[in-house]
Amino acid sequence: METYNNIVLERLPRHLKRYVVAQRYERYTALDQALWRYVMRQNYSFLKDVAYYPYIPGLKKAGLSIATIPNLQDMNDSLKLIGWGAVTVDGFIPPAAFMEFQAHRVLVIAADIRQLEHIEYTPAPDIIHESSGHAPIIGEPDYAAYLQYFGEVGTKALSSGKDFELYEAIRYLSILKEHATTTEVELAEAEKNLQIIQDNMGEPSEMALLSRLHWWTVEYGLIGDLHNPKIYGAGLLSSIGESASCMQEDVPKLPYSLNAIEYAYDITKPQPQLFVTPDFEHLKIVLDKFADTMAFRVGGKLSVDKAIDCRAVCTVQYSSGLQVSGVFKLANTDQNLSYIQTQGPTALAFAGKQLEGHGIDYHSEGFGSPVGNLRGADQDLEDFDAVTLIQYGIVEGQQCLLNFASGITVVGTVQLIVRQFDKIVLISFTACEVYRNDGKEVYFRPEWGIYDMAVGTEIISVFAGAADKDAYETLEEHPGQASFSMTNETEDVKLVNLHAAIRNLRDKGFDQEAWLYIFNLLGPENADHWLGLVELFEIAWANNAEELAHLAEVRLLKFVTLYPHLKKLIDDGLRVAKEEALLNNQ
């Protein structure tokens, strides 16, 4: 993985590095560069008045410019000065991974760039949204702190099986919408499938609710006075369509509070309402209120039940500090939590580091253990000293019988007692049997081998993923380059070459003959020619070639007649070019 000489990236854990791809800057075409330039010029023209953070200073702090698509080396050279970094990924990555990157102060930037037909907004991640939206405001310390803190909380959030289905459906639909070869039938089928999943989600999970807070703040947040707010959300900062429409009075502006979790969102449509926070500290207060309801802070049976519903790798932490990571299943139907059980590969850890000899190879078929106090004990087993251990017959090499207050019995020969920081976290037995005294359940039999019993009075925390992800996860090789599947496979080669000629005209100086040659190739038979004509108008206007500028403007007006949906884009392009030339001549 390329780290761009940025220590923030060098410190990324291995399991996150597998999502990173090479940017391959040479794959961006002249049309891509023109698209970036148009969006950024429009953004600055509008956002300089409505964005919370001064847009140009923010761009410079993040190593961005209006003129060209950002290079990851330039971004990291700038971002590392404020303790952040940036990496490129190939489109969507799982929400948990996205959150964890954020917790490590790393911006995740999709390497692809949207198609021309989606210049105002794209539901799929792209370099315009991720870099021009998220990066400029990172220079605001209070916001950067909130973003990192959100990542830390989000990394712990439990998902549900339905969440994964929804994620895949949204991901697939977004890619279809951005791909030029998608048919109407394919699109309709994907939209229908997404709607079916959305209509049958059931009770929203922690991650689903947390993603709403993320959406209404990090992506679509407003800040300041309720009646005259400023934009700070990346989705708005990077959308030349919605950044303007969202400020209209018919889009309700609501005070930001924990009630925002009641508002679901649709990534493919403009937002029906937005939330306004008075300051970034308020965002952290609201996030803390929600975090107090999450399983990683609550623990107990309800939190373990959430982990079971998750159907993915989670971690439960005993009061002793022992962490058990795996896919959890129902172990008992009691009102109180008396036993935990995983299925498949499981690992044991302490303070986020895997215990030696207790990885997924050793516990390949699952792990189970009681939770609670020994019957009649006046202190927790995890706190037993050497004398108390002897009193209860817990001596290495000797057989002992442990009766838990929950009605579970463990009987076997003690093989090993494991301590961490003066806490007993694990006791291993041979010739061991574990069962309920009522005879309803046998959890372990002597012929199954060594029984490793976790020690702890209660489950104090439950969170998503493994405690030691680098040790737990299978680190498959991830492709080291971006697919660029959205745009470059379908771009019109002639159109790309025309934009290359236009860029050459701008970079090497104005040439009337070259201008006319390109102009004559940009006819109204192709709707996509509008952007090239806007650029030609801009070049002519900036060079006081009024007759040529008039030619381009007249042709653009014909485009508006033929393609009414282009009216706003063309009008805005002409307006910004004239405004910029006026400012330069003052």
Side-chain angles (χ1 to χ4, degrees):
M1 183 194 108
E2 176 62 66
T3 59
Y4 304 101
N5 196 31
N6 186 342
I7 194 169
V8 176
L9 302 186
E10 291 168 3
R11 291 174 175 170
L12 274 176
R14 287 182 302 153
H15 66 274
L16 288 181
K17 289 180 180 179
R18 62 178 166 164
Y19 294 107
V20 178
V21 300
Q23 185 184 22
R24 297 181 67 197
Y25 195 87
E26 73 280 0
R27 291 291 300 273
Y28 298 118
T29 68
L31 176 56
D32 296 331
Q33 296 285 1
L35 198 152
W36 168 275
R37 190 171 183 275
Y38 177 90
V39 171
M40 294 302 291
R41 282 162 57 80
Q42 292 296 320
N43 279 351
Y44 177 62
S45 173
F46 180 72
L47 293 173
K48 68 181 187 295
D49 298 319
V50 298
Y52 170 71
Y53 191 72
Y55 204 64
I56 289 298
L59 288 169
K60 290 180 178 178
K61 278 190 176 183
L64 304 176
S65 78
I66 288 177
T68 56
I69 294 171
N71 182 297
L72 263 289
Q73 183 64 65
D74 294 337
M75 287 192 70
N76 278 286
D77 287 344
S78 298
L79 288 172
K80 69 181 180 181
L81 300 178
I82 55 175
W84 281 74
V87 296
T88 40
V89 298
D90 199 359
F92 278 92
I93 64 172
F98 183 89
M99 292 289 185
E100 196 173 356
F101 273 109
Q102 202 166 287
H104 284 280
R105 299 173 70 90
V106 174
L107 292 177
V108 174
I109 297 173
D112 284 321
I113 189 166
R114 64 194 64 178
Q115 292 184 59
L116 181 57
E117 65 185 271
H118 297 151
I119 191 169
E120 291 185 278
Y121 171 78
T122 174
D126 85 322
I127 196 166
I128 293 178
H129 166 72
E130 306 290 358
S131 58
S132 72
H134 288 289
I137 200 170
I138 287 293
E140 172 60 52
D142 289 343
Y143 177 76
Y146 169 71
L147 197 64
Q148 180 184 13
Y149 183 57
F150 202 112
E152 292 170 354
V153 173
T155 301
K156 304 286 189 182
L158 296 174
S159 301
S160 68
K162 286 290 185 180
D163 287 339
F164 182 75
E165 293 179 29
L166 181 64
Y167 162 74
E168 285 296 325
I170 291 175
R171 176 180 179 273
Y172 181 61
L173 176 59
S174 298
I175 291 173
L176 284 182
K177 285 192 171 187
E178 193 61 27
H179 207 292
T181 60
T182 300
T183 66
E184 291 297 326
V185 173
E186 289 174 324
L187 200 59
E189 186 175 336
E191 288 175 338
K192 180 181 178 181
N193 180 55
L194 174 59
Q195 191 62 53
I196 290 172
I197 294 173
Q198 286 177 325
D199 292 342
N200 294 277
M201 287 297 293
E203 194 71 22
S205 68
E206 287 181 356
M207 181 60 87
L209 295 175
L210 195 65
S211 69
R212 295 178 186 179
L213 296 185
H214 194 271
W215 186 261
W216 299 124
T217 60
V218 174
E219 295 293 351
Y220 279 81
L222 302 177
I223 187 169
D225 181 80
L226 193 62
H227 303 291
N228 186 30
K230 300 294 184 182
I231 294 172
Y232 73 88
L236 297 174
L237 290 174
S238 62
S239 171
I240 58 176
E242 203 162 1
S243 61
S245 63
C246 79
M247 302 305 283
Q248 296 172 2
E249 291 186 2
D250 61 344
V251 179
K253 313 298 190 298
L254 308 177
Y256 181 66
S257 70
L258 195 53
N259 288 337
I261 64 172
E262 303 297 330
Y263 291 78
Y265 60 89
D266 186 339
I267 192 174
T268 66
K269 298 177 181 177
Q271 306 314 307
Q273 76 285 308
L274 296 172
F275 294 87
V276 183
T277 183
D279 51 47
F280 292 131
E281 181 60 29
H282 180 68
L283 299 182
K284 188 175 182 298
I285 292 171
V286 171
L287 179 57
D288 257 333
K289 287 181 181 178
F290 181 74
D292 285 342
T293 70
M294 292 174 63
F296 84 98
R297 288 188 180 175
V298 174
K301 186 177 186 300
L302 289 177
S303 297
V304 174
D305 288 343
K306 287 183 180 180
I308 294 169
D309 181 58
C310 190
R311 292 181 288 173
V313 175
C314 297
T315 296
V316 304
Q317 181 171 324
Y318 280 81
S319 50
S320 65
L322 183 73
Q323 297 165 320
V324 181
S325 300
V327 178
F328 287 83
K329 67 177 184 178
L330 188 65
N332 63 279
T333 56
D334 295 348
Q335 245 180 344
N336 298 316
L337 181 64
S338 59
Y339 201 88
I340 63 161
Q341 181 72 54
T342 67
Q343 54 188 359
T346 304
L348 308 184
F350 186 87
K353 294 296 180 183
Q354 184 171 291
L355 294 182
E356 186 176 352
H358 288 281
I360 58 176
D361 292 334
Y362 179 69
H363 297 289
S364 60
E365 296 182 2
F367 179 88
S369 188
V371 180
N373 288 310
L374 293 179
R375 190 184 305 277
D378 57 4
Q379 70 177 136
D380 299 337
L381 175 56
E382 64 210 67
D383 294 322
F384 279 14
D385 57 20
V387 174
T388 311
L389 285 171
I390 293 173
Q391 290 175 349
Y392 277 82
I394 308 172
V395 179
E396 290 181 6
Q398 296 185 15
Q399 188 177 42
C400 80
L401 185 149
L402 302 178
N403 286 313
F404 284 82
S406 63
I408 291 176
T409 294
V410 177
V411 57
T413 300
V414 178
Q415 182 191 52
L416 183 66
I417 300 171
V418 179
R419 289 183 180 272
Q420 292 285 337
F421 296 100
D422 296 326
K423 292 277 189 180
I424 299 174
V425 299
L426 194 70
I427 301 176
S428 297
F429 297 86
T430 57
C432 185
E433 187 171 10
V434 184
Y435 55 87
R436 281 190 174 278
N437 296 338
D438 58 13
K440 290 183 178 179
E441 193 77 49
V442 175
Y443 296 108
F444 198 86
R445 299 183 185 278
E447 60 267 27
W448 294 353
I450 295 172
Y451 180 69
D452 298 294
M453 185 185 80
V455 176
T457 305
E458 58 183 334
I459 300 300
I460 63 170
S461 182
V462 180
F463 54 88
D468 185 344
K469 292 185 175 68
D470 281 350
Y472 185 96
E473 296 186 12
T474 304
L475 301 176
E476 304 96 340
E477 287 295 319
H478 192 283
Q481 61 187 32
S483 69
F484 282 75
S485 57
M486 294 182 192
T487 306
N488 289 279
E489 292 178 2
T490 56
E491 276 185 352
D492 184 331
V493 175
K494 290 183 179 179
L495 188 61
V496 169
N497 290 338
L498 283 170
H499 277 278
I502 294 169
R503 192 160 195 93
N504 189 57
L505 184 64
R506 177 182 289 108
D507 292 344
K508 293 190 175 180
F510 180 65
D511 181 296
Q512 180 170 322
E513 186 175 340
W515 190 100
L516 284 168
Y517 175 78
I518 300 168
F519 174 78
N520 288 328
L521 295 174
L522 293 171
E525 70 280 355
N526 188 335
D528 288 344
H529 284 173
W530 73 267
L531 180 56
L533 284 170
V534 167
E535 289 207 293
L536 286 184
F537 173 85
E538 175 199 325
I539 293 170
W541 191 269
N543 286 277
N544 298 313
E546 295 183 7
E547 290 185 8
L548 297 183
H550 179 70
L551 284 175
E553 188 167 10
V554 168
R555 183 166 291 180
L556 283 167
L557 292 176
K558 186 174 183 179
F559 269 69
V560 171
T561 301
L562 293 171
Y563 312 105
H565 66 283
L566 295 176
K567 177 175 172 52
K568 184 178 186 305
L569 290 167
I570 290 172
D571 287 349
D572 288 346
L574 295 174
R575 174 183 52 78
V576 169
K578 292 175 182 178
E579 287 176 355
E580 188 175 79
L582 183 62
L583 288 172
N584 291 337
N585 291 330
Q586 288 179 349

